[in-house]
Amino acid sequence: MRHHTWRSLAWISPSVLLIIAVITLPALRMVWTSLQLTDETGVSHGFAGLANYERLLAEPALVNVLSNTVVWVLLVVGVSIVVALGLAQLLNKRFFGRRLVRWALIVPWATSLVMTSTVWRYMLEGGNGIVNRFLMDLGVISAPIGWYQDPRYAFWSVVAVGIVVTIPFTTYVLLAGLQAIDQQVYEAGKLDGAGPWKTYRYITLPLLRPALVIATILVTIYVFNSFPVIWVITGSNPGNFSDITLTWAYKIAFQQQLNTGEGAALSVFNVLILIVVVLLYLRAVNGDRERKSWLGRTWTALTDRLGERWSRSAGPAPVKVSSRVRRKVWPRVRPVALPLVGLVVAAFFLAPYAVMFLSSFKDGAELYAVPATYLPQHWEWSNWANVWDVLPLTMLLRNSLIIAAASTALVLVIAVPAAYYTARNRFTGRTGFLNLVLITQVLAPVALVVGIYQEVIYVDGVNQYWAIVVVNAAFNLAFVTWIMNGQFAGVDVAIEEAAMMEGLGPMRRMLRIMLPVVRPGLVTALVFTFIQVWNEFVISLTVFNDPTHDRVTLPVGIQQLVGLNQTNYQYLFVASLIATVPVVVLFITIERHLVGGLTAGSVK
């Protein structure tokens, strides 16, 4: 259906206004702040021109931070995609226990990065960490290593953790691409005599290229914005030897120099990087344009070159052996091999959370025992009762629940009508609106945090529920809009036409006819948004962080208790488990719908 633009404004203007108010204006304000002379309280004292940029370029730590950022993105993204390709292939096959393996990968994805990073920080402790104990028991090292304290190892430690927490998300993005491939293509390949390598080389990879291009861009954005991993594990360390540009910008603006002007200058640089990635993303998600883009051509040339080299190096003999093994040996081994591999994968990704669970039953002395213990020597069941007195857990849970519920409700009220109208109607500006929503999807709050902070101060919204609710709603608008747009577009037009003949207007058609039909997608959008806001960290750390007036969310409260002289990890782990288990269960319930929505423009 086609309608005039003025009629569409009633449906999409709330979304546009929210994006302008919470994303566009802070971005512009951040640019303006980067040109201002500011004091330690963030107050402007006049125009500074490019002085903040000049001061930034003169920083001794700049070269190291920039090199860290490049290495962080390239290594984490590259290794994650390579590993995820194999895991996606594994999870796309049928074997006993596959559902449990997929659920195991859900846990690190659904769990807050703050809580996951907290348990990794504990595991990487120098004298009493489980990692040191495990490596010493295997004879790999002879003495404990300060993995995140020692400048020689700190950055590489967070890179390793970054890879581990990124692989699940990457796997699901690629799994979505694999499941979109028509199985009849593989059947035709078998009839032509194609073996596993030729099938993968000439069928899977070419058909997976669009998903790979999108996955590469999405994972790059995800990794670039993975602020909590570095902040929680090494943020309290002196110096900048493990910082990337995002964490360093936060330190400049809010911790070390307390110079919001210089912090804004670095944040502008970060946003420019994201804009380049956004442009690539826009080209990749629109039809088959990725094949025409330089990124698509580069990827095609790269896979073709690797395939040719592999074929030349393999030779005819390995192909014969592979064929013989495939026909005779593999059918007998497969029922055992795939579940065994799946068990190893599940155990690896669940190991940190097993450590979290077991450590929640240890006392303070055993937590810091040297050498570390794998199992509690004395099970301290009282930790689960005492945590309510030791930590302000009730307040933290209450705040997170209020903010997550209110933000989710606001997102649904604004995004669902916009998604419905854009899915069922064609109007001037429709493509521009959808691209605007797509752009907000990749501009994470951490990249605009200086501008957001300045705007929240301007509207007197610091430590106010309404301010953080509005900010969270704006940054979760994209997921709900895109997934619901796809859901509405998939409904048979005849259903709505019948409702129109009965005299129902567009709002009544949406509420009474369409929403019941798209209920699974609506539930997915609701649960995913709730989890996103529940786990949000950077904005809460910046604009909703006043313990004296009970204005702290659960992720921020847990992070602030890490790094003290003697962190009560047992209570932090109890609190983390209380907050994590319901979220993981909710995430598992929407897993099937979530996989289908990933390549439609939806990210964590």
Side-chain angles (χ1 to χ4, degrees):
M1 291 177 283
R2 179 175 291 278
H3 291 285
H4 296 293
T5 302
W6 66 265
R7 189 177 300 176
S8 67
L9 292 177
W11 295 84
I12 68 172
S13 58
S15 297
V16 174
L17 290 175
L18 187 63
I19 291 171
I20 292 174
V22 180
I23 299 176
T24 306
L25 290 181
L28 295 175
R29 190 174 185 89
M30 187 174 67
V31 174
W32 177 249
T33 302
S34 72
L35 302 173
Q36 298 293 303
L37 179 64
T38 58
D39 60 23
E40 293 182 353
T41 63
V43 176
S44 175
H45 293 280
F47 187 71
L50 299 177
N52 288 316
Y53 293 91
E54 294 172 356
R55 188 180 298 109
L56 178 65
L57 293 174
E59 289 281 359
L62 178 63
V63 175
N64 181 64
V65 171
L66 288 177
S67 63
N68 282 353
T69 305
V70 173
V71 173
W72 164 260
V73 173
L74 290 180
L75 265 183
V76 176
V77 172
V79 175
S80 298
I81 287 181
V82 171
V83 175
L85 271 172
L87 289 179
Q89 289 287 340
L90 172 69
L91 296 180
N92 200 39
K93 300 180 183 297
R94 295 186 179 276
F95 60 88
F96 178 75
R98 180 180 68 162
R99 177 64 59 184
L100 293 177
V101 180
R102 291 176 65 160
W103 288 354
L105 263 71
I106 281 287
V107 175
W109 186 12
T111 305
S112 166
L113 281 179
V114 171
M115 297 170 191
T116 298
S117 302
T118 299
V119 69
W120 272 103
R121 191 180 193 276
Y122 169 71
M123 292 169 59
L124 294 170
E125 287 278 0
N128 58 313
I130 296 296
V131 172
N132 274 329
R133 170 64 189 268
F134 183 69
L135 294 177
M136 290 173 69
D137 288 346
L138 292 178
V140 177
I141 60 177
S142 57
I145 296 174
W147 294 105
Y148 70 83
Q149 301 99 331
D150 192 327
R152 294 175 298 173
Y153 304 107
F155 177 68
W156 303 109
S157 296
V158 294
V159 167
V161 175
I163 291 171
V164 172
V165 301
T166 303
I167 286 173
F169 168 73
T170 313
T171 300
Y172 268 90
V173 175
L174 295 178
L175 181 61
L178 285 175
Q179 292 183 347
I181 299 176
D182 190 347
Q183 294 301 308
Q184 293 183 354
V185 179
Y186 290 113
E187 296 297 329
K190 288 182 180 179
L191 293 176
D192 290 339
W197 167 246
K198 286 187 176 181
T199 299
Y200 188 77
R201 166 71 182 86
Y202 294 105
I203 297 178
T204 302
L205 267 184
L207 294 178
L208 193 61
R209 277 171 186 158
L212 272 169
V213 171
I214 294 176
T216 302
I217 298 171
L218 289 181
V219 175
T220 300
I221 296 167
Y222 179 83
V223 170
F224 187 79
N225 292 322
S226 292
F227 177 92
V229 175
I230 298 174
W231 189 261
V232 173
I233 297 177
T234 63
S236 60
N237 291 349
N240 305 104
F241 49 81
S242 60
D243 278 322
I244 60 173
T245 53
L246 278 180
T247 57
W248 192 36
Y250 198 91
K251 286 182 178 180
I252 291 174
F254 303 110
Q255 273 199 349
Q256 293 177 350
Q257 288 96 321
L258 294 177
N259 188 331
T260 53
E262 187 178 348
L266 183 53
S267 296
V268 169
F269 171 75
N270 291 329
V271 170
L272 290 176
I273 295 175
L274 286 175
I275 288 175
V276 173
V277 181
V278 167
L279 295 176
L280 294 175
Y281 187 31
L282 288 174
R283 297 193 68 180
V285 298
N286 286 294
D288 295 328
R289 292 183 183 179
E290 78 284 339
R291 296 177 183 175
K292 302 175 183 178
S293 67
W294 70 266
L295 184 62
R297 293 195 301 270
T298 301
W299 179 259
T300 301
L302 178 62
T303 52
D304 288 344
R305 183 70 59 84
L306 290 175
E308 292 172 1
R309 290 188 177 183
W310 179 276
S311 300
R312 288 197 301 267
S313 62
V319 174
K320 294 180 180 178
V321 173
S322 175
S323 177
R324 186 164 57 249
V325 169
R326 185 175 71 253
R327 290 197 310 268
K328 298 182 179 180
V329 180
W330 180 240
R332 300 177 183 177
V333 175
R334 187 183 189 278
V336 176
L338 290 184
L340 184 61
V341 172
L343 179 63
V344 172
V345 170
F348 176 80
F349 285 100
L350 290 177
Y353 308 96
V355 171
M356 181 185 291
F357 177 75
L358 294 173
S359 298
S360 71
F361 293 100
K362 295 180 179 180
D363 59 23
E366 189 176 357
L367 279 170
Y368 291 92
V370 180
T373 58
Y374 293 112
L375 297 175
Q377 301 299 306
H378 302 285
W379 291 75
E380 297 290 337
W381 299 93
S382 60
N383 289 343
W384 286 74
N386 296 337
V387 68
W388 301 94
D389 298 322
V390 176
L391 301 179
L393 188 55
T394 302
M395 178 268 290
L396 298 176
L397 289 170
R398 183 192 67 232
N399 287 341
S400 290
L401 182 61
I402 291 172
I403 293 169
S407 300
T408 302
L410 181 59
V411 170
L412 293 179
V413 168
I414 293 177
V416 170
Y420 165 72
Y421 196 82
T422 53
R424 310 305 280 187
N425 300 279
R426 298 293 180 268
F427 55 90
T428 304
R430 176 180 178 274
T431 301
F433 169 73
L434 292 176
N435 283 337
L436 176 65
V437 171
L438 201 61
I439 290 171
T440 66
Q441 175 178 286
V442 295
L443 290 177
V446 64
L448 302 175
V449 65
V450 174
I452 293 171
Y453 176 71
Q454 293 279 349
E455 184 175 33
V456 171
I457 289 179
Y458 181 77
V459 298
D460 196 23
V462 176
N463 298 320
Q464 300 296 321
Y465 284 103
W466 66 265
I468 192 170
V469 165
V470 170
V471 173
N472 277 314
F475 282 98
N476 284 278
L477 187 73
F479 177 84
V480 178
T481 302
W482 273 99
I483 196 170
M484 293 308 299
N485 181 277
Q487 292 284 319
F488 286 128
V491 177
D492 191 347
V493 177
I495 296 177
E496 194 169 5
E497 290 176 346
M500 292 175 62
M501 295 180 63
E502 294 180 3
L504 294 181
M507 182 61 71
R508 294 172 66 190
R509 292 200 303 270
M510 182 189 75
L511 295 175
R512 295 176 54 181
I513 306 298
M514 301 295 283
L515 285 184
V517 175
V518 299
R519 186 177 301 164
L522 185 63
V523 172
T524 299
L526 187 153
V527 172
F528 188 84
T529 303
F530 183 90
I531 293 172
Q532 286 288 92
V533 181
W534 180 269
N535 290 335
E536 194 280 321
F537 174 67
V538 176
I539 298 302
S540 299
L541 178 68
T542 309
V543 303
F544 194 84
N545 189 1
D546 184 6
T548 59
H549 293 90
D550 292 344
R551 292 292 196 268
V552 183
T553 61
L554 185 60
V556 174
I558 288 177
Q559 183 271 333
Q560 289 177 341
L561 294 171
V562 175
L564 302 178
N565 291 333
Q566 184 168 335
T567 304
N568 292 319
Y569 278 112
Q570 71 272 35
Y571 298 120
L572 293 186
F573 292 156
V574 172
S576 297
L577 289 167
I578 291 173
T580 297
V581 172
V583 167
V584 171
V585 172
L586 285 174
F587 215 89
I588 287 174
T589 61
I590 66 170
E591 180 238 355
R592 292 184 179 181
H593 302 292
L594 196 59
V595 171
L598 280 172
T599 53
S602 311
V603 300
K604 182 179 175 184

